[in-house]
Amino acid sequence: QLQASGGGLVQAGGSLRLSCAASGRTFSSYGMGWFRQVPGKERDFVAAVHWNGDTLYTDSVKGRFTISRDNAKITVYLQMNSLKPEDTAVYYCAVGRSAYGSRIISQYTYWGQGTQVTVSS
């Protein structure tokens, strides 16, 4: 199971840190990712971290968001800085099918319940 937390309401330019805690099994050997979704649209890739800590980002968040993992705590983080209103969405964490994270949603198996991030202008 994955439990996402850390969402909330923040003003543009502010920061939030999302956490995704895993339980029930060990995910340290798997890639993990964050996606986001707004009503009426598809779930979009945000960031991923490979088993070894290497990362991937969608272009719109590069330089503002940082994904990291703590395998000892079986937790993945998404530090979001310089937030913009267009970052408003429900954010989901997921476990990949392999050791490597991916931009492709079908490459993920387990999903968290989502946490709402709202950025006001």
Side-chain angles (χ1 to χ4, degrees):
Q1 292 183 346
L2 299 176
Q3 182 72 35
S5 62
L9 173 63
V10 64
Q11 289 186 335
S15 298
L16 284 174
R17 188 195 196 202
L18 305 184
S19 298
C20 177
S23 62
R25 60 175 293 177
T26 299
F27 295 117
S28 59
S29 299
Y30 293 85
M32 298 188 72
W34 286 96
F35 286 72
R36 63 188 179 187
Q37 188 172 24
V38 298
K41 294 190 176 182
E42 295 183 346
R43 194 169 296 186
D44 293 329
F45 171 75
V46 176
V49 58
H50 304 326
W51 68 277
N52 61 359
D54 289 347
T55 57
L56 294 171
Y57 297 95
T58 191
D59 286 347
S60 63
V61 308
K62 284 181 180 178
R64 301 188 298 122
F65 291 11
T66 302
I67 188 172
S68 61
R69 65 190 299 159
D70 184 336
N71 287 335
K73 295 182 179 179
I74 322 177
T75 300
V76 175
Y77 304 97
L78 186 68
Q79 177 67 44
M80 306 186 295
N81 299 328
S82 302
L83 282 161
K84 303 175 181 180
E86 51 263 44
D87 295 317
T88 295
V90 177
Y91 283 70
Y92 297 89
C93 61
V95 179
R97 297 182 183 275
S98 75
Y100 297 92
S102 172
R103 302 174 188 275
I104 303 172
I105 196 168
S106 62
Q107 295 301 308
Y108 292 85
T109 54
Y110 300 99
W111 290 84
Q113 85 287 5
T115 184
Q116 175 71 47
V117 171
T118 303
V119 185
S120 63
S121 58

